[in-house]
Amino acid sequence: SSVRYSAAITSVKPWKEAASALAFRLYGFEQCKVKVGMPGQDELASLRRIRRCAGRSMDLRVDANEGWPPDEVARRTAALW
C-alpha cells in the first residue's frame, strides 16, 4: 500500500556528498545508499561526512558494485563500523 524511495550518493567530491546528504535529510528520506569502492576514495571519511549531514535517523547502506575484491570485503566493511 506504500512505496518507499531510497536516496543514493554517488559523488566522491566531499562538498557534493555533504550537499546531497543534507538535501536528502531535508526531503525526509529514511535510507540512503552510498557508493564506495572507487579508486582514491576515503570511504570512512565519506561516510562520516555523510552521517554528519544526513543525521542519525537515516539508514546508510554501502554499495561497492564489485569495486572490492572478494578477499577484502570483510576487512573493508569492518573498518566502516
Side-chain angles (χ1 to χ4, degrees), residues 2-36:
S2 66
V3 176
R4 182 178 285 179
Y5 290 96
S6 174
I9 297 178
T10 60
S11 178
V12 294
K13 294 184 179 181
W15 71 270
K16 283 187 176 182
E17 289 175 340
S20 295
L22 182 57
F24 295 143
R25 178 182 186 173
L26 294 174
Y27 280 118
F29 280 88
E30 296 177 4
Q31 291 129 7
C32 182
K33 174 176 68 173
V34 180
K35 298 297 256 178
V36 295

Side-chain angles (χ1 to χ4, degrees), residues 5 23 29 42 54 65 69-70 73 81:
Y5 290 96
F29 280 88
D42 182 345
N65 265 8
V73 171
W81 288 99

